[in-house]
């Protein structure tokens, strides 16, 4: 705000209205984008400290952009002296009053030679004083500040008037209606021809809402940091449980160990795009006491420690019943009852197969799970699934069992639905079946798994996924 003592200098030209209008349009468009991000963040868990911090940051950014919009509106309207006296009745282009209390930036000048004080209309609104009342002098200004902030203002004014230093600081005022406002004040001395301070001008901005927004961001950030050391051990515990429960073998596994018709087995776990979410997916293969081989994959609902704890219980029960000689169909019925009546009931899908290397017969049952894919002679097909509902769904149905005879060289693919769910970039079962030619040329099961990982490993899947491939030996 230029002083009247420098009226002989050419007045700065106001910016072109078109340029200011363009800035206002961009600011409002950016505000809409930030608000949209805030709405998307708001659908997350209210108890998540990180989500609360993100929402607080969005709210704070919106406040800054609202202030920017108001400042640009003032810039477009021109200096206070050029505004019409009836500005309170004038409505701006966006429908808001140009003199509304939303304008939170005001200006002032204190003339030390004439003791004159001039305030902009916005400053009257900020201080809550009626227009036309005497503006506060530098001597009276500290009287409306909180006592703790009065020394700060005195130091700022003294440094400006005596030492010629610019002012930049904040203080709190008490308005006549009892409201406390936080103001940010910047200003400079105006010197006369002899280099002495003749007056002082300042711009004051109400930053109360911004400071409250920053405090909210800080509180939520600190809350997120306090919770972070807790979440990491939980994540580590869930990962440890999953690592302990899943089969320890890596690479290829030959079951039974030697002999005709043995299965060459390989498997892989693909994490979700949100790597911090440990799910309840599993794969398993083990030799049974009667010489047959158990193959299973499944997926329990949920994430983290609850899901991996349920996984440990389910997989332990499945192995125990398979060792006891229970057929896949009946085994699924027992697992359904187990999940339904456990202390923490869970839902899940599963596929259980039992292969007899002596006859090549594969007996299998499923519980709401994708059926196995059978590849033979360079082509693949999905096996028709027997009837079976999700585990833990209280369906009380009998799980059917089916059989298929496998031939030497056949490739059997078991997988969880996270691998081929169509929401994951359109990857459906057809994309797995399209690997038939590659499976036919593969030297072993591990090379087949490598082809699946190359095809699906780069997808940003919504959930964990497992794939298990068994190749029937000669």
């Amino acid at each position: 705000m230029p002083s009247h003592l420098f009226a002989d200098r050419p007045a700065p030209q106001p910016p072109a209205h078109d340029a200011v209008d363009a800035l206002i349009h961009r600011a409002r468009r950016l505000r809409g984008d930030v608000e949209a991000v805030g709405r998307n963040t708001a659908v997350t868990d209210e108890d998540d400290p990180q989500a609360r911090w993100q929402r607080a940051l969005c709210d704070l950014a919106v406040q800054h952009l609202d202030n920017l919009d108001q400042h640009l509106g003032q810039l477009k309207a021109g200096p206070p002296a050029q505004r019409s006296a009836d500005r309170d009745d004038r409505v701006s282009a966006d429908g808001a009053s140009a003199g509304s209390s939303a304008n939170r930036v005001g200006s002032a000048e204190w003339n030390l030679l004439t003791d004159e004080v001039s305030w902009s209309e916005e400053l009257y609104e900020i201080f809550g004083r009626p227009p036309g009342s005497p503006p506060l002098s530098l001597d009276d200004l500290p009287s409306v500040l909180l006592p703790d902030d009065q020394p700060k203002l005195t130091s700022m004014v003294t440094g400006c008037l005596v030492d010629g230093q610019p002012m930049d600081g904040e203080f709190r005022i008490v308005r006549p209606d009892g409201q406390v406002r936080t103001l940010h004040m910047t200003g400079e001395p105006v010197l006369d021809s002899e280099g002495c301070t003749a007056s002082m001008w300042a711009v004051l901005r109400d930053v109360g809402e911004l400071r409250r927004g920053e405090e909210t961001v800080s509180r939520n950030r600190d809350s997120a940091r306090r919770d972070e050391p807790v979440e990491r051990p939980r994540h580590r515990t869930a990962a440890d449980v999953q690592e302990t429960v899943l089969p320890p073998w890596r690479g290829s596994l030959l079951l039974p160990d030697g002999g005709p018709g043995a299965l060459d087995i390989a498997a892989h776990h693909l994490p979700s795009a949100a790597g911090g979410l440990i799910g309840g997916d599993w794969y398993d293969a083990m030799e049974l006491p009667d010489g047959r081989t158990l193959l299973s994959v499944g997926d329990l609902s949920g994430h983290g420690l609850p899901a991996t704890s349920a996984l440990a219980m389910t997989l332990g029960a499945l192995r125990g019943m398979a060792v006891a000689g229970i057929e896949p169909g009946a085994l699924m019925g027992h697992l359904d009852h187990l999940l339904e009546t456990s202390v923490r009931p869970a839902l899940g899908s599963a596929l259980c197969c039992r292969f007899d290397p002596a006859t090549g017969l594969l007996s299998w049952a499923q519980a709401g799970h994708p059926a196995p894919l059978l590849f033979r002679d360079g082509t693949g097909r999905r096996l028709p699934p027997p009837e079976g509902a999700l585990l833990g769904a209280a369906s009380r149905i009998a799980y059917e069992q089916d059989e298929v005879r496998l031939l030497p060289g056949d490739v059997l693919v078991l997988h969880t639905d996270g691998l081929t769910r169509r929401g994951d970039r359109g990857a459906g079962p057809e994309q797995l079946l399209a690997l038939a030619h590659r499976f036919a040329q593969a030297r072993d099961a591990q090379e087949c798994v490598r082809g699946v990982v190359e095809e699906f490993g780069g997808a940003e899947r919504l959930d964990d996924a497992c794939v298990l491939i068994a190749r029937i030996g000669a």
Side-chain angles (χ1 to χ4, degrees):
M1 174 178 138
S3 168
H4 59 74
L5 297 176
F6 289 84
D8 55 328
R9 297 183 181 179
Q13 296 300 313
H17 275 206
D18 290 345
V20 178
D21 283 337
L23 289 174
I24 292 174
H25 175 73
R26 289 165 61 185
R28 292 177 181 176
R29 183 173 180 179
L30 180 59
R31 184 195 187 281
D33 292 341
V34 174
E35 202 170 32
V37 173
R39 286 195 300 269
N40 292 336
T41 307
V43 302
T44 58
D45 187 2
E46 287 290 337
D47 295 328
D48 183 2
Q50 186 173 1
R52 291 199 303 268
W53 169 69
Q54 291 172 342
R55 288 195 296 274
L57 273 178
C58 288
D59 292 342
L60 182 60
V62 168
Q63 291 178 24
H64 278 291
L65 290 168
D66 283 339
N67 283 329
L68 175 60
D69 188 20
Q70 294 159 13
H71 301 165
L72 291 172
Q74 290 179 330
L75 180 62
K76 179 180 177 181
Q82 297 179 9
R83 301 177 193 175
S84 61
D86 61 343
R87 65 191 301 276
D88 291 331
D89 299 326
R90 178 167 51 85
V91 177
S92 62
D94 61 0
S97 169
S100 70
S101 58
N103 295 320
R104 297 185 177 274
V105 178
S107 58
E109 184 172 2
W110 291 271
N111 191 312
L112 304 183
L113 302 180
T114 64
D115 291 331
E116 291 179 315
V117 182
S118 62
W119 275 18
S120 69
E121 295 180 23
E122 293 84 5
L123 197 58
Y124 278 99
E125 295 171 2
I126 291 174
F127 277 81
R129 297 174 65 84
S133 61
L136 296 175
S137 67
L138 289 176
D139 293 331
D140 296 332
L141 187 59
S143 65
V144 300
L145 270 67
L146 291 178
D148 291 345
D149 292 354
Q150 290 175 1
K152 184 186 301 183
L153 175 64
T154 300
S155 175
M156 289 168 54
V157 173
T158 301
C160 182
L161 298 180
V162 177
D163 301 327
Q165 298 176 350
M167 295 184 298
D168 191 345
E170 292 184 6
F171 51 82
R172 294 164 294 172
I173 64 168
V174 181
R175 289 161 45 105
D177 57 8
Q179 293 185 20
V180 177
R181 298 286 181 88
T182 301
L183 305 186
H184 181 250
M185 181 177 182
T186 59
E188 293 182 357
V190 179
L191 307 180
D192 60 17
S193 58
E194 297 179 358
C196 299
T197 303
S199 66
M200 184 184 78
W201 67 266
V203 173
L204 294 96
R205 179 185 178 200
D206 185 344
V207 295
E209 290 187 6
L210 288 179
R211 296 298 173 259
R212 285 190 292 273
E214 290 170 352
E215 290 173 2
T216 301
V217 170
S218 179
R219 285 196 305 271
N220 285 292
R221 182 184 62 237
D222 293 342
S223 176
R225 286 175 176 173
R226 285 193 301 270
D227 287 359
E228 186 175 327
V230 177
E231 290 300 325
R232 284 181 176 174
R234 288 177 181 171
H235 171 81
R236 187 63 259 167
T237 302
D240 289 342
V241 172
Q242 186 186 54
E243 185 75 15
T244 302
V245 172
L246 291 181
W249 46 270
R250 296 293 184 268
S252 293
L253 178 69
L254 197 63
L255 292 178
D257 188 9
L263 294 179
D264 174 23
I265 304 169
H268 191 80
H269 172 260
L270 292 88
S272 66
L277 299 177
I278 303 296
D281 290 62
W282 86 80
Y283 61 84
D284 193 24
M286 66 178 295
E287 184 177 357
L288 299 175
D290 59 5
R292 291 183 284 187
T293 300
L294 171 71
L295 304 174
S296 72
V297 294
D299 179 11
L300 297 180
S301 60
H303 295 91
L305 193 55
T308 52
S309 298
L311 168 61
M313 175 188 69
T314 303
L315 197 50
L318 190 153
R319 289 169 174 169
M321 288 186 284
V323 168
I326 298 177
E327 295 289 326
L331 190 153
M332 287 296 172
H334 293 313
L335 281 184
D336 175 55
H337 181 71
L338 174 66
L339 289 179
E340 181 188 346
T341 59
S342 64
V343 177
R344 291 184 176 179
L347 289 174
S349 68
L351 175 63
C352 179
C353 304
R354 192 171 60 179
F355 177 70
D356 186 346
T359 63
L361 195 65
L362 180 79
S363 305
W364 67 284
Q366 62 85 26
H369 199 86
L373 303 180
L374 177 60
F375 295 83
R376 178 179 295 168
D377 299 329
T379 61
R381 65 183 178 93
R382 175 175 172 266
L383 297 181
E387 186 176 355
L390 283 173
L391 300 175
S395 57
R396 301 291 183 181
I397 70 167
Y399 289 84
E400 295 184 356
Q401 181 173 309
D402 203 357
E403 294 180 345
V404 61
R405 193 169 301 279
L406 303 183
L407 303 178
D410 284 354
V411 173
L412 188 71
V413 177
L414 315 183
H415 63 88
T416 58
D417 66 347
L419 183 69
T420 62
R421 191 176 295 146
R422 288 191 178 275
D424 297 344
R425 292 187 175 180
E430 296 81 4
Q431 195 169 344
L432 257 178
L433 292 173
L435 297 177
H437 181 68
R438 185 164 184 173
F439 289 165
Q441 294 181 330
R443 293 167 295 180
D444 52 27
Q446 184 63 40
E447 191 169 328
C448 293
V449 167
R450 191 176 300 116
V452 173
V453 173
E454 290 176 1
E455 184 70 22
F456 294 92
E460 294 183 1
R461 61 184 42 78
L462 304 176
D463 201 357
D464 289 14
C466 286
V467 59
L468 184 150
I469 295 182
R471 181 169 178 159
I472 291 77

